[in-house]
Amino acid sequence: MFAKETYMNRRNTLKKSVGSGLLLFLGNDESGMNYEDNTYPYRQDSSFLYFFGLPYAGLNAIIDIDEDREIIFGDELTIDHIVWMGTQPTLHEKAQRVGIGETRPSADLKAYLEKARKKGQTIHYLPVYRAEHRLKLLDLLGIKPGTEQPSVTFIKAIVNLRNYKTAEEIVEIERACDVTAEMHLAAMRTLRVGMKECEVSAALEAVAQAHGCSLSFPTIATVCGQTLHNHYHGHTVKEGDMLLVDAGAETAMGYAGDMSSTICAGKKFTSRQKEIYDIQVASHRAAVDALKPGVPFKEVYELSCRVICEGLKALGLMKGDPAEAVAAGAHAMFFPCGLGHMMGLDVHDMENLGEVWVGYNGEPKSTQFGRKSLRLARPLEPGFVLTIEPGIYFIPELIDYWKAEKRFTDFINYDKLESYRDFTGLRNEEDYLITETGARRLGKKIPLTTEEVEVLR
């Protein structure tokens, strides 16, 4: 945890931003995997962590701006809990650690909210992402399913705080990124032809655990890189394969790292793999070079797309004007996702609060295929932490679908594309902090070019 003053200052800033009403924070509870006592690994809600810093299950909180009160609701451990879990701080001790003096039993929360409703007080709450939270919210506030109205004022106030990472947060994020880099280096050193994907996944995940970290998201380690989020780890790696790894560490305080790498199964990439890989690297470097305050990230995305189109045109896979191809959306045949996303206490930071607020500052998102998956578009500002992860993918199902509908025939050479159906896909990803003058990579460098990867092979 940070010093209690950090959390006190965050809450004070939040109160000034929202102005009035009552702010409701639902902390996460334990969640059973297949029965109640066999739980998923516990993770506290990120906004709760940001303002209250307490990584314990069974807590909720309110900030009553009108009454100038901050209260943690929870229950003391019984002797049964202590037998199984050991002694923990009391509820009051937990609250004092983050500068809160008032605590109440969990059962008092509903009555406090009912009293606030009767007074006509505005109760601000956030979008929920767990089913049990939706049920809890309906019960606490006495509202009917489907009538929930999360507070936009509350959402925007949190986004405007969490989007700008402080120096102490950067230290924690960089620690996550350093461990993440070591995970990828372990994968590059471990991979051998004849291995199962799960063996590589096990090796890199062991690095996170050895550093006292958990995973910031489920590991991707696949020879089928054309599937963007492929969590199956059962394939045997063959000569000529590429293993796409997307993995990250999360520190004990909840801050995330997120990197991707693409590794040749043998000692060298094939000449065809290298041609495509080099285009991806050119796109990656162009995007990184463009990062600086004031530049809309959607322009960085479009630049990276144009570089990909230019490279694929040189190989005969695309044709026509690259800028026109990107404007029309033809690039999404090969790059059907976004360039990057905000990162912090969530690997996709505050995605539960809505990309339209986090990454678009309230502006509407595009509905164009590919471009609609861009999670960040707004002008960059100092303190933003984000990923850069262009990729090039050859997805047989998408090739067949667009070819049958004769889409973008002015830009895509489908005859040439047929010979790449088995190529799969690749991407590389790094994490960056936007500074006053440009951008700084966070974490230890991992190999980016084919030459750098081959050194470790």
Side-chain angles (χ1 to χ4, degrees):
M1 290 174 59
F2 297 125
K4 69 178 181 181
E5 289 77 15
T6 292
Y7 302 103
M8 294 170 67
N9 291 336
R10 288 173 175 176
R11 295 194 298 269
N12 285 334
T13 303
L14 180 66
K15 286 186 281 189
K16 291 176 183 176
S17 180
V18 176
S20 63
L22 183 152
L23 309 179
L24 173 62
F25 292 85
L26 297 179
N28 283 339
D29 298 322
E30 296 281 11
S31 182
M33 288 191 289
N34 53 347
Y35 54 89
E36 185 176 359
D37 286 339
N38 189 29
T39 61
Y40 288 101
Y42 181 72
R43 174 59 155 79
Q44 182 60 282
D45 174 77
S46 292
S47 288
F48 194 97
L49 274 182
Y50 186 83
F51 292 101
F52 300 96
L54 298 172
Y56 305 100
L59 302 180
N60 300 291
I62 62 167
I63 298 175
D64 191 332
I65 301 173
D66 302 331
E67 299 288 337
D68 193 24
R69 298 172 75 180
E70 299 176 347
I71 308 171
I72 299 274
F73 292 82
D75 297 312
E76 300 293 358
L77 297 184
T78 67
I79 190 62
D80 291 307
H81 291 118
I82 292 170
V83 166
W84 290 100
M85 300 166 56
T87 300
Q88 294 185 19
T90 66
L91 182 62
H92 182 65
E93 289 169 339
K94 292 172 183 175
Q96 282 189 317
R97 288 180 179 181
V98 293
I100 291 180
E102 186 174 358
T103 60
R104 288 195 179 190
S106 294
D108 288 0
L109 177 59
K110 186 174 183 179
Y112 194 102
L113 293 171
E114 286 178 349
K115 183 178 178 181
R117 286 168 52 208
K118 288 178 180 178
K119 290 191 300 183
Q121 195 173 10
T122 300
I123 299 176
H124 300 274
Y125 57 90
L126 300 173
V128 295
Y129 54 90
R130 290 189 173 187
E132 62 266 29
H133 274 183
R134 177 165 284 106
L135 294 174
K136 184 185 291 187
L137 190 68
L138 299 180
D139 177 59
L140 288 172
L141 300 182
I143 55 180
K144 296 179 180 179
T147 64
E148 306 97 314
Q149 293 183 329
S151 167
V152 172
T153 300
F154 195 11
I155 291 170
K156 290 170 68 175
I158 290 180
V159 168
N160 286 335
L161 276 169
R162 288 181 57 189
N163 259 351
Y164 304 94
K165 305 304 185 287
T166 62
E168 59 186 351
E169 287 185 288
I170 295 303
V171 170
E172 194 68 14
I173 294 171
E174 188 135 41
R175 177 170 178 265
C177 291
D178 280 336
V179 177
T180 298
E182 292 295 343
M183 293 165 67
H184 284 265
L185 291 169
M188 292 179 185
R189 295 179 180 122
T190 299
L191 177 64
R192 295 290 183 273
V193 171
M195 276 187 168
K196 292 281 191 182
E197 296 160 329
C198 58
E199 296 179 73
V200 182
S201 176
L204 69 89
E205 290 181 4
V207 173
Q209 188 170 12
H211 284 83
C213 293
S214 57
L215 302 179
S216 52
F217 57 94
T219 296
I220 297 167
T222 180
V223 294
C224 298
Q226 76 280 5
T227 302
L228 302 184
H229 281 178
N230 194 334
H231 294 115
Y232 177 74
H233 296 156
H235 294 110
T236 298
V237 179
K238 305 184 300 297
E239 186 68 49
D241 281 344
M242 295 184 297
L243 187 77
L244 192 157
V245 176
D246 193 340
E250 179 177 285
T251 69
M253 289 182 62
Y255 285 90
D258 181 9
M259 298 178 187
S260 298
S261 53
T262 302
I263 315 165
C264 49
K267 293 187 179 300
K268 300 282 185 181
F269 289 92
T270 68
S271 58
R272 187 173 75 152
Q273 289 170 347
K274 181 172 171 52
E275 286 177 337
I276 300 298
Y277 196 116
D278 287 349
I279 295 169
Q280 189 278 335
V281 171
S283 173
H284 185 105
R285 285 177 166 164
V288 170
D289 289 344
L291 297 177
K292 61 181 180 180
V295 175
F297 193 71
K298 66 180 178 181
E299 294 182 6
V300 183
Y301 164 77
E302 289 166 354
L303 169 63
S304 71
C305 294
R306 289 197 301 273
V307 173
I308 289 173
C309 290
E310 289 163 1
L312 295 177
K313 180 180 177 180
L315 294 181
L317 287 162
M318 296 193 74
K319 52 189 175 179
D321 181 80
E324 293 179 5
V326 172
H331 67 286
M333 167 61 77
F334 308 96
F335 185 20
C337 51
L339 176 65
H341 51 79
M342 296 288 230
M343 190 181 78
L345 275 171
D346 306 301
V347 67
H348 290 179
D349 214 19
M350 295 174 282
E351 191 164 299
N352 63 303
L353 301 184
E355 291 170 1
V356 70
W357 302 115
V358 180
Y360 285 75
N361 199 26
E363 296 296 319
K365 292 184 64 176
S366 172
T367 59
Q368 185 187 72
F369 179 78
R371 193 180 295 264
K372 69 181 180 181
S373 297
L374 183 64
R375 292 183 167 92
L376 175 61
R378 66 192 293 174
L380 300 174
E381 299 181 58
F384 285 11
V385 171
L386 53 91
T387 67
I388 292 293
E389 49 180 309
I392 301 177
Y393 309 94
F394 294 83
I395 306 169
E397 297 86 350
L398 183 59
I399 294 171
D400 292 340
Y401 181 41
W402 279 18
K403 183 178 180 180
E405 295 198 346
K406 296 182 172 57
R407 294 194 189 187
F408 303 119
T409 54
D410 290 342
F411 300 113
I412 299 173
N413 184 346
Y414 285 102
D415 291 337
K416 177 77 171 180
L417 185 53
E418 281 298 318
S419 64
Y420 281 76
R421 290 178 65 89
D422 63 345
F423 186 90
T424 70
L426 59 88
R427 68 175 170 272
N428 290 284
E429 176 183 13
E430 296 177 314
D431 306 321
Y432 282 88
L433 165 69
I434 303 302
T435 66
E436 295 292 338
T437 57
R440 178 173 72 83
R441 189 187 66 245
L442 296 175
K444 183 176 181 179
K445 185 183 186 305
I446 61 174
L448 177 64
T449 67
T450 54
E451 293 81 8
E452 290 170 347
V453 173
E454 289 170 353
V455 167
L456 291 182
R457 299 299 298 138

